[in-house]
């Protein structure tokens, strides 16, 4: 039997002040049975604590600098407990977990977000691209893909009961009368009129009384012979009906509009054209066409707008619509519609073209008979977007096939731009017709030149799974598979110790492709630079299907592997990853034999690979060096619970559900007894298991209760800071033990119990302490063998427990815990769920910061080479949590650093005399300056090689560059360098 040792109680015990009523975390000290009387004596010595302080997000989902009245943590129950005969007994149920000093830490405003399924918008001169995110409008330069301005839109808001509502942006449109302004509509009836060139207007939205806004379109309507913006808003009435209401600026101020049309049949889309002369509304398999009645009449107000509507059925569910009107000028100088060409995309993959539609419509307010369209069919699944080209000769379409299709209407020929990175969600033709803007499902947008079909602009955000505001177009049709609409697994992230500005995230081939299985498919590694806030590149570190057929013969998507663990070596030269794939049970019916069911067969055929990658020093690309099949194996491949790197050497350790810790080390690759070399003569290496340490089974431990061998195990690993000890926490949920392993010999030096409760979520070693997160947060002092303090997490769902995170920052000697806020009404983490993050100092059990986030936190990792943390949420936003004296390595838009203007705008106006020659006095002064510097050198005109300038300006992404003053002196130094002597 292996000796099972209980830790001693901490030498100090404190009792918190009672502040608040929403306690959700129990604080307790672990005490041996024979010392139960000590608690009462020690607990009476109270230390004074400041009133609890937490930081809540502002209405737009950003962290507010001020502290509000919510004063306690909702994750932990801060209740002192004492041990009586081995059982925990509540002694004070009124104490809340509070913070000591929130001013020591600060939370940045979020950056990034998820690009919505809304068409990107070109500025009229095509110099800027406006992209609508879930919580902001972001303006990018099309010349260099740089972020010019981020306008935070306060979409998220808290109601009186502090419960998070879920409004979301449904549409955005560029003002037709004032191109510097943008209209943004929210589902709850708020309408923003933003000046996208200055960022003004976000705090003063208009509000209309409506159940829900479904869509919005905008036109410049001639009112009193003057063009004014008129918003046509699709407002929900009931579950299956809606109405179209027109608003001008005065109407928005008075909250009154003109009712244009009411219809049912599940309305979903609204489009307009020709200065409001034509309105098209889509409702499932029906189109409603509205034409302006007041031809030749002067419209004096919005109330004068009258439309004649016609409706007709279409062959498929409508997913997208585009209108191409042909206008002509009347003899009196007016403008009228001569013809209208309409194209719609269907949910089953077909495109329908209606040429000269108006001539085929019957009389006013009648339902037309069947109108035969021209059918184009190539897409296998829903057409997500279809647009007319500028000249009307082409159609451009895209969908889940990741292929941009160009349809030449005259000849019927097709051209393809295949193998894009994800599903095409939106297509926009630029005002001049020279470019196409494509919004992809992997949270990226690119601009293609129409001449060469090559990208000229690329914008990429965090490509992790998000909680979407509305269902995908694929869900309009019932399929054999169903996409996942919740988040159940954490986002696997890490950072390279040698590159503090980059984070590495495991992502999939877009939102829809990643969420088609029981667990998300994440075979790709995204390298994301938080200083420039751009995706650098992506690597396939597991099997992918980018070019093969990605659907089975039954119509189900092929499920790709997911990466479950990832870690860099201490020098950043090696990356270890674990990917796992399990065949779907739906495909295993032919393989059933005997009494086995599909679940057992699926588990037997599970593939688990441990891979070691070499990181290239020049471009940070990854090269696969070794793949270990079934690194942990019993009668079947065992799950790898954790992989960690040695902080002082190129060595990794892994822990599997077989209860074995394996150490992995590199060695020279040999062939026929000789060391193998690469093409450039470099020595090649391979990875192998250098030592295996079998952990004591829970049943072998003294005082252990009997546990079924089939009960699920959990575990985690952590190296000490000097790499001499490896801590392995492993066992069933009824009680795991922590083994202390000597890394030099592999001997188990100690085994400690009663440090965990429930499934283990993380273990970290910080200084002389061991931090363990399970259903409790425990800080254990290794040297003194004492539990410094322990908090119990509030009971929550199994999914919420999976999304609990622990991160340790060695610079600040602090650690952070993040978890979804318990909600008894939510079994799954869907839209509206929130998270809380608590920062602790190693030297103090009082939290340094309690921060509530309006979305679910999917990952937390320490900031490299700085005191703080980086968090990623379910809206693809990145938050920086830093100490007050630290500067977050987050990007700043050009407008925030006064670099929005072009170089020509800030160039000096008078550089020389009018005739291009300097005056005699200036020449004399210049000669004297040179002579004063050094008389031994001749004066030559400075010649600087272009690569020297490139080294300065391309040293880092634009937002991560040195201050402009430093760059100026570097450039000036090149031009003032003395000429070399030969």
């Amino acid at each position: 039997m292996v000796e099972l040792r209980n830790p001693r109680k901490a030498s100090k015990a404190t009792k918190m002040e009672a502040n608040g009523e929403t306690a959700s975390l129990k604080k307790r000290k672990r005490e041996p049975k024979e010392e139960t009387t000590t608690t009462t004596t020690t607990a009476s010595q109270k230390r004074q604590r400041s009133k609890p302080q937490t930081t809540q997000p502002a209405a737009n989902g950003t962290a507010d600098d001020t502290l509000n009245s919510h004063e306690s943590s909702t994750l932990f129950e801060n209740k002192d407990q004492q041990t009586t005969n081995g059982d925990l007994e509540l002694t004070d149920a009124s104490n809340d977990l509070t913070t000591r000093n929130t001013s020591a830490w600060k939370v940045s405003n979020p950056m990034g977000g998820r690009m919505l399924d809304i068409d990107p918008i070109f500025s009229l001169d095509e110099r800027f691209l406006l992209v609508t995110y879930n919580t902001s409008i972001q303006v990018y330069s099309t010349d260099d893909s740089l972020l010019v301005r981020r306008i935070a839109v306060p979409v998220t808001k808290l109601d009186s009961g502090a419960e998070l509502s879920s409004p979301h942006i449904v549409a955005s449109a560029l003002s037709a009368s004032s191109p510097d302004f943008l209209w943004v509509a929210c589902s709850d009836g708020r309408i923003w009129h933003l000046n996208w060139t200055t960022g003004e207007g976000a705090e003063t939205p208009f509000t209309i009384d409506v159940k829900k806004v479904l869509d919005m379109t905008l036109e410049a309507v001639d009112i009193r012979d003057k063009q004014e913006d008129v918003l046509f808003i699709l407002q929900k009435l009931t579950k299956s009906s809606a109405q179209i209401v027109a608003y001008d600026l005065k109407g928005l101020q008075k909250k009154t509009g003109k009712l244009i049309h009411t219809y049912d049949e599940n309305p979903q889309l609204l489009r307009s054209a020709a200065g409001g002369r034509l309105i098209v509304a889509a409702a499932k398999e029906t189109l409603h066409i509205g034409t302006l009645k007041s031809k030749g009449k002067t419209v004096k107000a919005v109330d004068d707008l009258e439309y004649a509507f016609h409706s007709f059925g279409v062959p498929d569910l409508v997913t997208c619509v585009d209108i191409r009107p042909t206008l002509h000028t009347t003899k009196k100088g007016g403008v009228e519609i001569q013809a209208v060409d309409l194209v719609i995309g269907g949910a089953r993959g077909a495109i329908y073209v209606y040429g000269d539609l108006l001539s085929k419509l019957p009389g006013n307010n009648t339902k037309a008979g069947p109108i035969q369209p021209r059918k184009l069919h190539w897409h296998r699944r829903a057409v997500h977007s279809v647009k007319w080209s500028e000249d009307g000769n082409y159609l451009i379409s895209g969908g889940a096939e990741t292929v941009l299709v160009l349809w030449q209407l005259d000849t019927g020929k097709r051209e393809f731009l295949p193998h894009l990175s994800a599903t095409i969600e939106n297509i926009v033709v630029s005002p001049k017709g020279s470019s196409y803007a494509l919004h992809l499902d992997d949270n990226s947008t690119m601009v293609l030149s129409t001449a060469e079909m090559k990208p000229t602009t690329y914008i990429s955000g965090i490509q992790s799974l998000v909680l979407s505001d509305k269902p995908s177009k694929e869900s309009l049709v019932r399929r054999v598979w169903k996409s996942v609409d919740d988040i159940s697994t954490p986002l696997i992230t890490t950072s390279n110790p040698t590159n503090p500005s980059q984070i590495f995230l495991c992502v999939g081939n877009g939102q829809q492709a990643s969420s088609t299985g029981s667990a998300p498919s994440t075979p790709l590694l995204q390298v994301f630079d938080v200083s420039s806030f751009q995706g650098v590149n992506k690597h396939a570190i597991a099997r992918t299907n980018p070019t093969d057929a990605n659907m089975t013969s039954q119509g189900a998507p092929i499920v790709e592997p997911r990466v479950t663990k990832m870690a860099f070596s201490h020098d950043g030269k090696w990356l270890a990853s674990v990917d796992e794939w399990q065949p779907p049970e739906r495909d295993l019916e032919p393989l059933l034999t005997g009494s086995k069911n599909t679940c057992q067969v699926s588990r037997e055929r599970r593939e688990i690979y441990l891979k070691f990658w070499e990181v290239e020093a020049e471009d940070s690309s990854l090269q696969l060096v070794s793949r270990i099949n079934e690194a942990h194996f019993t009668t079947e491949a065992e799950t790898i619970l954790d992989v960690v790197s040695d902080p002082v050497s190129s060595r990794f350790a892994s822990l599997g559900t077989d209860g074995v810790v394996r150490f992995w080390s590199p060695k020279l690759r040999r062939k026929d007894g000789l060391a193998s070399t690469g093409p450039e003569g470099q020595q090649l290496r391979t990875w192998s298991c250098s030592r295996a340490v079998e952990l004591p089974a829970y049943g072998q431990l003294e005082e252990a209760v009997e546990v079924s061998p089939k009960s699920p195990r959990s575990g985690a690993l952590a190296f000490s800071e000097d790499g001499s000890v490896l801590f392995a926490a492993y066992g069933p949920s009824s009680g795991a033990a922590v083994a202390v392993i000597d890394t030099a010999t592999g001997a188990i030096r100690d085994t400690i119990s009663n440090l965990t409760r429930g499934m283990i979520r993380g273990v970290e070693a910080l200084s002389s302490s061991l931090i363990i997160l399970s259903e409790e947060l425990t800080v254990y002092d290794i040297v003194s063998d004492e539990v410094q303090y322990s908090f119990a997490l509030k009971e929550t769902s199994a999914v919420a427990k999976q999304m609990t995170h622990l991160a340790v920052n060695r610079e600040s000697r602090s650690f952070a815990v993040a978890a979804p806020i318990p909600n008894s009404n939510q079994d799954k983490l869907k839209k509206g769920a929130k998270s809380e993050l608590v920062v602790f100092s190693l030297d103090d059990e009082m939290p340094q910061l309690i921060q509530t986030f309006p979305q679910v936190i999917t990952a937390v990792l320490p900031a490299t080479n700085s005191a703080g943390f980086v968090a990623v949420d379910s809206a693809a936003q990145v938050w920086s949590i830093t100490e007050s004296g630290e500067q977050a390595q987050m990007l700043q838009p050009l407008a925030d650093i006064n670099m929005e203007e072009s170089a020509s705008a800030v160039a000096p106006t008078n550089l020389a005399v009018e005739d291009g020659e300097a005056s005699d006095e200036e020449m004399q002064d210049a000669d004297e300056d040179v002579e004063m510097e050094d008389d031994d050198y001749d004066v030559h005109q400075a010649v600087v090689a272009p690569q020297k300038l490139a080294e300065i300006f391309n040293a880092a992404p634009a937002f991560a560059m040195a201050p402009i003053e430093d760059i100026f002196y570097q450039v000036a130094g090149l031009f003032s360098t003395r000429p070399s002597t030969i």
Side-chain angles (χ1 to χ4, degrees):
M1 297 287 287
V2 178
E3 180 184 359
L4 185 67
R5 186 174 55 77
N6 290 320
R8 297 197 301 270
K9 73 177 184 70
S11 58
K12 55 180 181 180
T14 61
K15 190 174 181 180
M16 305 297 186
E17 294 180 355
N19 287 296
E21 300 176 354
T22 59
S24 49
L25 200 51
K26 302 176 225 173
K27 171 181 177 294
R28 65 186 176 91
K29 305 289 182 182
R30 299 197 183 265
E31 304 181 53
K33 299 177 182 178
E34 65 273 17
E35 296 183 7
T36 55
T37 59
T38 311
T39 303
T40 306
T41 305
T42 312
S44 61
Q45 302 173 0
K46 297 183 181 179
R47 289 183 289 175
Q48 295 296 321
R49 297 286 187 243
S50 60
K51 293 191 69 176
Q53 305 275 351
T54 61
T55 309
Q56 289 279 350
N60 62 345
T62 62
D64 203 349
D65 291 335
T66 61
L67 300 175
N68 63 14
S69 59
H70 295 275
E71 297 179 339
S72 60
S73 170
T74 54
L75 292 184
F76 302 99
E77 290 183 358
N78 183 17
K79 301 174 181 179
D80 289 334
Q81 299 183 350
Q82 64 183 12
T83 306
T84 305
N85 298 326
D87 298 326
L88 293 174
E89 179 182 347
L90 295 177
T91 58
D92 188 349
S94 62
N95 290 336
D96 291 337
L97 184 69
T98 64
T99 56
R100 173 187 292 276
N101 181 16
T102 57
S103 61
W105 288 81
K106 60 182 180 180
V107 180
S108 70
N109 292 331
M111 289 302 302
R114 183 74 184 183
M115 301 178 189
L116 298 181
D117 186 7
I118 297 174
D119 288 348
I121 300 172
F122 281 98
S123 61
L124 293 184
D125 57 6
E126 300 186 7
R127 292 180 55 211
F128 301 99
L129 188 69
L130 284 65
V131 182
T132 305
Y133 284 73
N134 46 8
T135 57
S136 65
I137 303 295
Q138 300 193 16
V139 183
Y140 291 89
S141 169
T142 56
D143 294 332
D144 47 24
S145 306
L146 299 181
L147 177 63
V148 176
R149 177 170 287 102
R150 182 183 188 272
I151 306 172
V153 181
V155 176
T156 304
K157 61 181 182 180
L158 296 172
D159 60 24
S160 58
E163 291 293 334
L164 190 69
S165 58
S166 298
H168 57 276
I169 297 174
V170 296
S172 60
L174 192 68
S175 172
S177 59
S178 302
D180 288 347
F181 285 85
L182 183 75
W183 292 93
V184 180
C186 186
S187 61
D188 62 356
R190 286 176 293 166
I191 310 293
W192 285 273
H193 191 213
L194 306 175
N195 187 328
W196 62 267
T197 63
T198 63
E200 299 175 351
E203 302 302 327
T204 55
F206 301 101
T207 303
I208 58 177
D209 296 326
V210 61
K211 280 187 176 181
K212 185 178 182 180
V213 174
L214 300 176
D215 204 353
M216 179 194 74
T217 183
L218 180 144
E219 293 293 330
V221 179
D222 292 329
I223 299 178
R224 294 191 183 91
D225 298 327
K226 180 183 177 182
Q227 287 195 337
E228 294 185 11
D229 285 347
V230 174
L231 306 180
F232 297 92
I233 297 179
L234 185 61
Q235 302 178 177
K236 183 177 181 180
L237 290 177
T238 65
K239 185 177 180 180
S240 60
S241 64
Q243 59 186 11
I244 303 173
V245 182
Y247 297 88
D248 61 358
L249 188 58
K250 293 181 180 179
L252 289 173
Q253 293 171 346
K254 297 179 180 180
K255 299 183 180 182
T256 59
K258 165 69 174 180
L259 178 62
I260 302 297
H261 183 55
T262 301
Y263 66 107
D264 50 17
E265 301 162 335
N266 293 295
Q268 60 201 71
L269 291 176
L270 182 64
R271 299 291 183 266
S272 61
R277 296 173 179 84
L278 181 70
I279 296 176
V280 178
K284 282 196 171 181
E285 297 177 341
T286 305
L287 285 181
H288 296 257
I289 311 296
T291 55
L292 188 63
K293 284 184 178 180
S294 54
K295 293 184 179 180
K297 298 180 181 179
T298 301
V299 178
K300 296 182 180 180
V302 173
D303 291 338
D304 296 335
L305 295 176
E306 296 289 341
Y307 287 85
F309 273 87
H310 317 272
S311 62
F312 61 92
V314 295
D316 197 359
L317 295 169
V318 179
T319 58
C320 51
V321 177
D322 194 34
I323 311 168
R324 186 175 184 272
T326 302
L327 306 178
H328 76 279
T329 305
T330 64
K331 294 180 180 179
K332 296 182 180 180
V335 178
E336 292 183 355
I337 298 177
Q338 182 176 354
V340 171
D341 297 326
L342 183 72
V343 60
I344 65 172
R348 296 175 178 87
I351 296 173
Y352 301 93
V353 182
Y354 294 87
D356 195 9
L357 179 61
L358 294 184
S359 65
K360 303 174 184 178
L361 295 177
N364 295 343
N365 295 320
T366 59
K367 187 167 184 178
I371 299 177
Q372 190 64 32
R374 179 182 176 184
K375 182 179 179 180
L376 307 172
H377 201 163
W378 177 86
H379 297 278
R380 299 192 302 270
R381 290 158 63 178
V383 180
H384 287 232
S385 183
V386 60
K387 287 295 193 304
W388 291 97
S389 65
E390 183 67 20
D391 57 9
N393 295 327
Y394 288 86
L395 289 175
I396 308 101
S397 66
E401 300 81 10
T402 71
V403 177
L404 185 69
V405 186
L406 281 75
W407 306 80
Q408 190 173 356
L409 296 179
D410 292 340
T411 63
K413 292 183 178 180
R414 298 187 298 259
E415 297 180 10
F416 303 97
L417 181 64
H419 307 324
L420 298 177
S421 59
T423 298
I424 300 173
E425 289 289 351
N426 305 94
I427 302 172
V428 176
V429 180
S430 67
K432 300 177 183 178
S434 60
S435 302
Y436 301 142
L438 308 182
H439 165 224
L440 305 180
D441 184 44
D442 63 353
N443 205 26
S444 67
T445 295
M446 67 172 65
V447 177
L448 301 173
S449 64
T450 57
E452 300 178 346
M453 296 302 290
K454 293 183 178 180
T456 59
T457 302
Y458 182 71
I459 304 162
S460 175
I462 295 287
Q463 297 181 356
S464 60
L465 283 178
V466 300
L467 295 174
S468 301
D469 294 309
K470 59 182 181 180
S472 167
K473 299 181 179 73
E474 301 290 339
S475 63
L476 293 176
V477 178
R478 184 177 180 182
R479 305 185 185 275
V480 297
W481 53 274
K482 183 180 179 181
S483 60
V484 180
D485 59 353
D486 63 317
I487 292 181
S488 58
T489 57
L491 174 64
I492 306 301
T493 58
T494 188
S495 58
N496 191 328
T498 61
N499 196 336
S501 67
Q502 292 183 351
I503 59 176
F504 296 75
L505 310 97
C506 294
V507 299
N509 290 295
Q511 175 83 1
Q512 297 169 42
S514 302
S515 56
T516 53
S518 58
S521 300
T522 55
L524 303 176
L525 178 65
Q526 183 190 17
V527 184
F528 192 83
D529 195 305
V530 294
S531 58
S532 64
F533 226 83
Q534 280 279 13
V536 178
N537 51 42
K538 286 196 295 187
H539 305 279
I541 59 175
R543 185 177 65 252
T544 60
N545 299 299
T547 58
D548 298 333
N550 54 7
M551 302 288 290
T552 66
S553 58
Q554 288 77 28
I558 294 178
V559 179
E560 296 175 326
R562 66 186 183 100
V563 178
T564 59
K565 299 294 177 182
M566 190 169 53
F568 274 98
S569 62
H570 77 288
D571 54 6
K573 296 181 179 179
W574 299 97
L575 172 69
S577 67
V578 178
D579 61 86
E580 183 175 326
W581 178 82
Q582 189 166 333
E585 295 183 19
R586 63 172 182 260
D587 300 333
L588 300 177
E589 292 289 342
L591 302 178
L592 294 180
T593 58
S595 60
K596 292 183 179 180
N597 55 33
T598 54
C599 180
Q600 292 173 326
V601 175
S602 176
R603 184 172 179 84
E604 289 176 356
R605 293 177 175 269
R606 189 172 51 162
E607 299 175 1
I608 301 176
Y609 299 132
L610 173 62
K611 299 176 181 178
F612 296 95
W613 307 81
E614 185 175 8
V615 183
E616 298 292 339
E618 296 181 358
D619 54 1
S620 298
S621 61
L622 301 178
Q623 180 180 356
L624 181 61
V625 174
S626 299
R627 188 187 80 175
I628 314 298
N629 301 345
E630 300 170 344
H632 292 262
F633 186 85
T634 53
T635 58
E636 60 185 15
E638 297 288 344
T639 301
I640 298 179
L641 298 173
D642 202 3
V643 173
V644 293
S645 64
D646 192 325
V648 295
S649 66
S650 296
R651 178 173 56 174
F652 293 92
S654 65
L655 171 64
T657 51
D658 57 349
V660 177
V661 174
R662 297 185 183 273
F663 292 87
W664 305 90
S665 302
K667 63 180 181 180
L668 290 178
R669 185 181 300 176
R670 296 184 178 276
K671 184 177 181 180
D672 299 332
L674 301 177
S676 301
T677 58
E680 299 179 359
Q682 73 276 18
Q683 291 183 332
L684 299 180
R685 287 176 169 80
T686 185
W687 285 76
S688 62
C689 180
S690 58
R691 178 176 288 112
V693 179
E694 184 174 358
L695 299 178
Y698 190 77
Q700 298 175 353
L701 301 175
E702 293 182 355
E703 302 180 6
V705 297
E706 184 177 352
V707 178
S708 170
K710 295 184 179 180
S711 61
R713 260 68 169 171
S714 62
L717 299 174
F719 276 99
S720 62
E721 292 189 20
D722 60 0
S724 62
V725 173
L726 178 68
F727 301 95
Y730 175 75
S733 58
S734 57
V738 178
V740 183
I741 303 174
D742 189 327
T743 59
T745 63
I748 299 178
R749 299 298 186 186
D750 200 357
T751 304
I752 312 170
S753 66
N754 291 340
L755 291 180
T756 66
R757 180 170 64 89
M759 305 300 286
I760 300 169
R761 300 301 307 144
V763 174
E764 294 288 350
L766 181 60
S767 186
S768 62
S769 297
L770 190 64
I771 304 162
I772 305 174
L773 178 64
S774 54
E775 293 182 15
E776 295 177 340
L777 173 65
T778 302
V779 179
Y780 167 70
D781 191 291
I782 305 166
V783 177
S784 61
D785 187 24
E786 295 176 351
V787 174
Q788 297 297 88
Y789 50 90
S790 177
F791 296 98
L793 276 75
K794 186 177 180 180
E795 185 64 29
T796 185
S797 64
V799 174
K801 293 176 183 178
Q802 291 289 327
M803 299 298 293
T804 306
H805 310 277
L806 172 66
V808 165
N809 188 288
R810 306 189 190 283
E811 296 283 338
S812 59
R813 290 173 54 86
S814 60
F815 60 94
V817 176
I821 294 177
N823 187 342
S824 58
N825 298 324
Q826 264 192 342
D827 294 333
K828 297 182 178 180
L829 297 178
K830 295 188 176 183
K831 189 68 178 179
K834 298 182 289 184
S835 281
E836 185 174 275
L837 183 141
V838 184
V839 177
F840 292 88
S841 172
L842 185 62
D843 304 323
D844 191 353
E845 69 269 26
M846 292 298 295
Q848 303 298 298
L849 174 72
I850 301 176
Q851 170 71 47
T852 300
F853 291 85
Q855 289 86 21
V856 176
I857 296 297
T858 57
V860 180
L861 64 160
T864 307
N865 298 336
S866 64
F869 302 91
V870 175
V872 182
D873 66 16
S874 59
Q877 298 179 130
V878 178
W879 305 73
S880 178
I881 302 96
T882 58
E883 286 190 302
S884 297
E886 292 285 335
Q887 179 66 34
Q889 294 181 347
M890 300 277 281
L891 114 152
Q892 289 181 290
L894 290 176
D896 294 349
I897 54 178
N898 299 320
M899 291 183 62
E900 181 185 359
E901 300 296 332
S902 62
S904 59
V906 296
T909 55
N910 297 319
L911 295 179
V913 182
E914 204 169 68
D915 59 359
E917 296 182 0
S919 62
D920 293 339
E921 290 82 5
E922 291 171 337
M923 292 293 291
Q924 184 176 357
D925 292 342
D927 291 341
E928 291 174 357
D929 290 342
V930 173
E931 290 173 1
M932 289 174 62
E933 181 175 311
D934 198 327
D935 294 335
D936 295 336
Y937 287 94
D938 296 328
V939 179
H940 296 278
Q941 182 179 1
V943 178
V944 178
Q947 58 266 28
K948 295 294 184 181
L949 290 172
E951 290 176 0
I952 296 176
F953 291 102
N954 297 337
F959 300 111
M961 292 178 66
I964 191 67
E965 190 174 84
D966 295 348
I967 296 176
F968 170 80
Y969 285 115
Q970 293 180 44
V971 175
L974 288 178
F975 285 91
S976 61
T977 301
R978 297 170 179 173
S980 59
T981 58
I982 301 178

